[in-house]
Amino acid sequence: MATLFSTIIAAALVNNLALVQLLGVSTLFSFSRQFSATVELALLSFLVLFPAACINLLLHALILQPLGLEFLQLFLFVSVSAGITALLGQQLVKLFPLLARRHIRAVLLMCSNSAVIGLSFLQSTSLSSLPIKLVYSFGAAAGFAISLLVFAALRQRIDQGSSPAALRGVPLYLISAGIASMALLGFAGLV
Amino acid sequence: MTPLAENLFFQLLVGGSLLGSLLCAIAWGVAGLRKRLQEQRFLVDRINSILPQTQCGRCGHPGCRPYARAIATGEAINRCPPGGDRAIRRLSLLLNEARVPLDPAHGEIESAKVAVIREAECIGCTKCIVACPVDAIIGAAKHMHTVIASECTGCDLCIEPCPVDCIDLVERAPAFRYWSLAALATDPLSGEPCHD
Amino acid sequence: MIRQAFSDLFERLGSTSRRGIRPATLRESSLRSRIMPTPIPRELILSLQHYPDTSAKDVSSMKPCVEVGEWVAKYQLIAREKGPNATRLHAPTSGTVQAIEEIPPAVNGQRARLAIRLLTDTDERELPLEPPSDYRSLAPEQMIQLIEDAGICGMGGAGFPTATKVRDALEKGVKTLIINGVECEPYISCDEALIRERADLTVQGAELLQAACLADDCVIVIDNAMPAARQALKEKLQGSAIKLQVVRRRYPAGDERQLVKAVCRREVPNDGHPTDIGVLVQNIGTAVAVYEAIVHAKPCISRIVTLTGSALLTPKNFDAPIGTPVQHLLNLCGVNENQHEFTIRGGSMMGQYLMDQAAPIEKTTNCIIASNNAEIPEREAEQACIRCGYCEQACPAQLQPQRLLASIRNEEWQDTVELGLDDCIECGACAVVCPSRIPLVSYFRAGKEIHNEDHSAQRQSRHWQERFQFHQYRIKKNQEKARSAKVAAQSAGEEQGFSRDQARMEISAAVERVRRRREALARETGHGEEKS
Ligand code: SF4
Ligand code: SF4
């Protein structure tokens, strides 16, 4: 139990996908200034990341590895995540027209998101057991969603504060992303 | 002395709280989802409520609601001149799109207008009544017509049909504003802006 | 008991009582003398725009019921309310109506409004008052009627008609009546003077108000910086069911919401009134006016006004007739002209610069400050926000002024709504503590103004939408009607097709008719041709 707990913490904070491992950073910058819209997006990215990583890992462990087909893994990972995204996108348009209208570009972007692929890659090469890997994916997905939310709030303040003209916009986002990732490094001693 | 992580009590505590928070999160998520689901159904209504409802058709659609429907399926949000900057701003927030200036192909931002009939010249042809989208003109055949100012949206649809050109669009008096953000951010002594 | 302990603890830990600011008390000078009756000025100006609503479109909210040149007696009704948000107006003394005309706005942002100019005479002939024979046996509704007849409105500054408020409370049912004697503005002392000298009337007024709104209990709240008033009240309250509560003196402890929270430990919902949680708040001055109205049937024709500020030689409280020009009162106090740079109406925190010294005292005017820049500095240039967080600690409404400021400056109206701009009570505490001298509260007022504009635009557009929908419905219905009429006509034609004779007869009749008309026409035109 304690291992599970520390795995989740490690995945969500210490090895935060976006801010520490720098996977899927583009997501942080391209999304909404509005906090309430970002909540939807965070949920969405969690819903893509977690199942995609799980399916990838399962397929990798149960099919590719026994058959010695590991060289196919990139092909597999990409197609799985694209498939999930496509399915999700379909349902989204049907059930949540507003959300789909808001985030359709984000959904498309997510199908080849480096966060999904990177997470699957890292975990498929790690030495821990399959359940731990799955739990790790859960934590990583949650951590990604959290960093999206945190960054949306941060962006709101950055946009509204008065800042030097040369730094306004993306430069300040990058600087603050750097500071945020340094702050997350502080969690390193936690587990 | 066993390490803390192997203590059964500790494990139960951590596991229980994790499980509990997970359940709470799921319950919260489901509740939120249902609320959102209800909100979502009215996407067109929400967009429509941002549009100014002048029904002028300058966006290229017959009325505001058709334009709202078009926006919901992906049309550009900057085609409504009467809504101006404010409508674009609010639409961009709602739909998470970039804030763009008004599309000049559809007109320019103007202040609010109201139609006025020069009553002496009106011949009572009733053509303007037919054109008015909000029934803001009263009159009868061969009698003088007039515009109910409070109901007029200033859409200019009645100008064209009038055979004797006796309808004018005049500016509505803007609302009285006591405060000005610009004046607040200026130095009261030197009159220069305080920042930047 | 436990709940009480907890809420005490929470209060200690943070929220209201520590919020707000503690400005210096500057009331002593005006409290040195007793309340002074005012010699009747030569002319009274009775504004017909009662409600201090600067956005009101109309020039008057009351309708005069006297004519120019008419002589009126003291206490005579001279104007009636036009709408629900106004009260009645009575002549404060006898005299002749000189004019009913527009007077210039008293403060910035107000519009010109209608007023009655009353040329006073010295006889003070009054209408006989008809007090109820036994005011203790009156029903609540009768009492409220008396309050309404007397034209009483909230004397604290907001000026909402008291009768409306009490009636609303009676309908909703209130548990607690709070009489507000807390004076948190640094200069204003009219309530304290009133309690000090007329504590018995205050208590009786409170009792009558309680009887009028059928509240279970009644609390008089004062602050801890008025010992004399406290002593006087304590004596009068002996043997009475009314409780006395003393709160710490902080600005803005006298605000309605703050007061309800301090007394009942419950918060007023942000989109509601205290009556929604069973509380009615009335000002001390209102209570006294209610006493006069119910016991003596005396209309509200005067009020207590504080005149203070360093430019006055003898600051004091006046019992001034409504309509007295400010200049008259200033003269009575003696003005040191070298020191007099401006006059403020209202307190130094919430008040506004008076633009016209001839402006009258109104039912809501509680204070006039004649002062200068050295005492009350005017606005300085603002500096950038340093995010010190002082404003956030001072805000009694528990908002985050610095974030509100940022979103207003960037015109992010959605954010300002989410941050609670509409809950700001415009107390100005944040602006006072701000080390960067940012006039935060002015920004918030500006933001609220734009919000209101937005709301009315939205209301307008909803209305237009409804009309458009109705228009479409009407067109559709007309088309359907036309179509069905056509169908009906067709089927009717078919039905009649069966009796050919009748059809033939009808046709020949029609032909005949046309022929005759044509002949008549030909005759006429022939006539005309002959003529021409
Ligand atoms: S003016 Fe508004 S924001 Fe400032 S302290 Fe008062 S309530 Fe808070
Ligand atoms: S008090 Fe003034 S400087 Fe300090 S945080 Fe508030 S606005 Fe900024």
Side-chain angles (χ1 to χ4, degrees), chain A residues 154-176, chain B residues 194-196, chain C residues 384-385 387 406 409-410:
Chain A
L154 206 59
R155 270 186 66 159
Q156 206 173 17
R157 313 255 177 133
I158 294 174
D159 285 344
Q160 292 186 357
S162 49
S163 43
L167 290 180
R168 224 164 263 169
V170 180
L172 263 182
Y173 299 158
L174 282 172
I175 293 173
S176 21
Chain B
C194 294
H195 309 286
D196 295 354
Chain C
C385 170
R387 293 180 172 65
R409 274 213 191 118
N410 287 283

Side-chain angles (χ1 to χ4, degrees), chain C residues 10 44 66 89 155 175 249 308 342 477:
Chain C
F10 280 125
L44 292 179
V66 288
L89 198 60
M155 301 268 190
K175 254 176 66 76
R249 181 152 187 281
T308 182
F342 50 77
K477 218 177 69 184

Side-chain angles (χ1 to χ4, degrees), chain C residues 384-392 401-402 405 430 433-438 440:
Chain C
C385 170
I386 53 170
R387 293 180 172 65
C388 60
Y390 288 172
C391 50
E392 186 252 339
Q402 52 151 320
L405 173 74
C430 49
V433 296
C434 177
S436 294
R437 301 266 168 261
I438 303 176
L440 288 154

Side-chain angles (χ1 to χ4, degrees), chain C residues 176-191:
Chain C
T176 315
L177 169 69
I178 298 179
I179 304 291
N180 181 359
V182 178
E183 244 157 0
C184 49
E185 285 255 10
Y187 282 95
I188 307 182
S189 64
C190 59
D191 289 352

